[in-house]
Amino acid sequence: MKVGYFRIKNKLGLHARPAARLVDLAKEVNSEIKIVKGKKEADAKSILDLLTLSCQFDDKIKIEVKGEDEDKAFWLICKLFEAEIGEKINGRKI
């Protein structure tokens, strides 16, 4: 199992668009991906689960990846979070 801790760098938090990107990525791999914020857990393949976490700017989250392609899945998630989940408004990173 791979475990990593990330901070939400997006000023608007993990709202629908970045959550959808995370769901799309999670569905590309076979591993189980769990997002944990405090005592709440979410399946990264469910946008409703992710949105119920109510992740805001600078919140710390834990990501657990378990499965046959966990190395690839964890690497993809790291890249996504490093890119601040690709959020831009009017060409500017938010």
Side-chain angles (χ1 to χ4, degrees), residues 3-85:
V3 177
Y5 294 88
F6 298 88
R7 289 227 178 250
I8 302 296
K9 296 179 182 176
N10 186 323
K11 300 266 189 234
L12 301 176
L14 190 63
H15 61 88
R17 259 192 321 263
R21 286 180 189 239
L22 185 54
V23 168
D24 288 344
L25 184 147
K27 288 183 176 177
E28 289 178 15
V29 296
N30 294 321
S31 293
E32 176 184 319
I33 302 171
K34 191 183 328 178
I35 312 293
V36 181
K37 178 188 163 198
K39 294 181 180 180
K40 295 181 182 175
E41 293 183 1
D43 177 356
K45 295 181 180 181
S46 166
I47 194 164
L48 287 177
D49 265 16
L50 290 177
L51 293 176
T52 59
L53 291 177
S54 299
C55 294
Q56 304 298 314
F57 174 70
D58 208 34
D59 280 350
K60 184 177 180 181
I61 60 171
K62 176 178 163 186
I63 297 182
E64 299 174 358
V65 182
K66 183 170 61 176
E68 62 189 54
D69 57 356
E70 64 188 27
D71 289 334
K72 175 186 173 187
F74 191 74
W75 181 77
L76 289 171
I77 288 171
C78 288
K79 283 184 59 175
L80 186 67
F81 274 87
E82 285 173 5
E84 300 175 25
I85 313 181

